[in-house]
Amino acid sequence: MTERMAQSADRSVQARPRIRELIYETPTLPSQTLGVKTGCDLWFKAENFQLTGSFKMRGAASKMTAMAPGQKLVTASSGNHGIAASRAASLTGQDLTVVLPETVARAKLEKIQSFGVEIILHGAESGMAEMHAQSLAAGGKFTYVSPYNDHDVIAGQGTIGLEVLEQVDRVDNIFIAMGGGGLISGIGSVLKSFGQGTRVIGVSAENSAALAASMTAGKVVETQHLDTLADGVAGGVDEDSVTLPLARDVIDQVVHCTEVEIGAALKQLAVDENMLVEGAAALALAGFSQISDQLRGQTTVVLLCGANFDWTKVRPFINS
């Protein structure tokens, strides 16, 4: 265990009582069908039932409660992070501005507006909105709230690991979708610090695999980003990301999955487990399915990170 991991785990312990009233302690559910099919003691940590429909509420709540109320904050996201940060700000009294691309879907815009935060529309796509938010923070009037590149945010995500340790007697393996690295770094630090030899397996979408490539290179590298069903974990990694060294510390194995595999996992969760989730959650199951024959007889947790899916995207796979 590295000092980085221990410090991250300790921050998660400190964050847990701060965010307890702002989040939902999600269940870890036994598999109804897939565990029997694969010969594994399979469990699902159901963050798809989390408030705002995603694990992002934990990190946002942790960041907001770590600061004095009334701080001028800025962030950028039209997805799970933007919704979670807006809700957390409304509950903690923070003064949040959310920068969104001019092309943001009306439904997402209205959802974020419903929490009473300030909104700036800037740029034709999310990358331009994020750059504008960071430039506003660089001007000194705002503190930037990153979706993942922040110790307090990582600490909030790590509280998932604390719950898993209480809900499952022993965890041999855990599968977690890899995006910017905040989720897997936070949970992995907790499990490595307080668990019993849990193997942390990161699952990367082949169409957007910046963190996996950066881990291999030992530094942040840019990769090609293609459309993926796991859009919740798509995108690059900040050049100064604190998640890269943590991810290299905690991740024991990386599994790469194709769009076909992610789509098949979406269907498996709907048909075999009666759960509708977003593509990033199905990505974690796709990773498990790829190597499940190596895990027979072991206790494995698959993290279902969220359920904010676009029905038009997931329906063809579920109905196939």
Side-chain angles (χ1 to χ4, degrees):
M1 181 176 67
T2 67
E3 184 177 352
R4 274 191 301 260
M5 291 160 53
Q7 291 174 344
S8 183
D10 185 59
R11 282 190 289 266
S12 291
V13 172
Q14 296 176 44
R16 193 178 187 188
R18 293 202 317 267
I19 70 174
R20 192 182 302 275
E21 301 302 317
L22 303 179
I23 65 155
Y24 171 54
E25 185 170 309
T26 56
T28 302
L29 305 171
S31 168
Q32 299 181 47
T33 302
L34 294 175
V36 174
K37 286 184 175 180
T38 57
C40 299
D41 182 19
L42 179 62
W43 298 75
F44 296 103
K45 178 56 172 169
E47 282 295 290
N48 48 313
F49 297 144
Q50 186 55 258
L51 304 179
T52 72
S54 155
F55 76 93
K56 291 287 189 179
M57 186 61 197
R58 294 176 185 265
S62 177
K63 180 63 176 179
M64 303 293 178
T65 56
M67 309 174 74
Q71 300 295 303
K72 291 184 69 64
L73 309 176
V74 65
T75 195
S77 168
S78 59
N80 289 336
H81 169 69
I83 295 169
S86 299
R87 179 184 172 93
S90 72
L91 293 173
T92 59
Q94 301 294 7
D95 182 358
L96 179 67
T97 296
V98 183
V99 184
L100 303 171
E102 296 168 355
T103 53
V104 61
R106 177 168 294 276
K108 291 182 178 179
L109 174 62
E110 291 176 351
K111 181 69 172 179
I112 293 172
Q113 284 176 325
S114 72
F115 295 113
V117 299
E118 294 294 323
I119 291 176
I120 295 174
L121 298 178
H122 180 90
E125 45 86 24
S126 59
M128 296 176 68
E130 183 175 2
M131 289 177 61
H132 185 63
Q134 291 174 337
S135 69
L136 291 174
K141 293 184 179 180
F142 297 89
T143 297
Y144 180 65
V145 179
S146 170
Y148 63 91
N149 188 19
D150 183 287
H151 287 299
D152 291 319
V153 171
I154 295 169
Q157 322 307 21
T159 62
I160 295 171
L162 296 173
E163 292 175 15
V164 167
L165 289 173
E166 294 172 352
Q167 293 167 339
V168 183
D169 290 339
R170 177 183 175 86
V171 181
D172 296 311
N173 315 285
I174 188 166
F175 286 77
I176 304 172
M178 294 168 57
L183 178 64
I184 196 165
S185 295
I187 297 174
S189 293
V190 166
L191 295 180
K192 294 293 186 181
S193 297
F194 305 130
Q196 302 173 22
T198 302
R199 294 183 70 249
V200 177
I201 301 166
V203 190
S204 180
E206 286 189 357
N207 277 11
S208 189
L211 181 57
S214 298
M215 287 176 60
T216 300
K219 62 181 181 179
V220 174
V221 296
E222 185 53 53
T223 61
Q224 183 181 28
H225 299 289
L226 305 175
D227 286 342
T228 175
L229 284 167
D231 55 356
V233 295
V237 179
D238 288 347
E239 185 65 36
D240 63 345
S241 178
V242 298
T243 60
L244 178 56
L246 262 177
R248 297 189 77 196
D249 285 347
V250 305
I251 296 174
D252 296 292
Q253 180 178 354
V254 175
V255 178
H256 296 268
C257 292
T258 66
E259 294 302 294
V260 172
E261 289 173 315
I262 300 169
L266 277 170
K267 183 172 183 176
Q268 284 182 312
L269 284 162
V271 174
D272 293 329
E273 302 294 339
N274 298 316
M275 283 194 284
L276 294 175
V277 300
E278 62 187 74
L283 174 61
L285 178 62
F288 164 78
S289 297
Q290 190 180 120
I291 64 171
S292 62
D293 59 337
Q294 303 171 25
L295 309 176
R296 290 183 178 276
Q298 299 180 30
T299 299
T300 295
V301 174
V302 170
L303 177 67
L304 302 181
C305 58
N308 291 325
F309 56 85
D310 181 341
W311 182 242
T312 61
K313 289 185 177 181
V314 305
R315 180 169 51 191
F317 294 92
I318 294 173
N319 291 340
S320 62

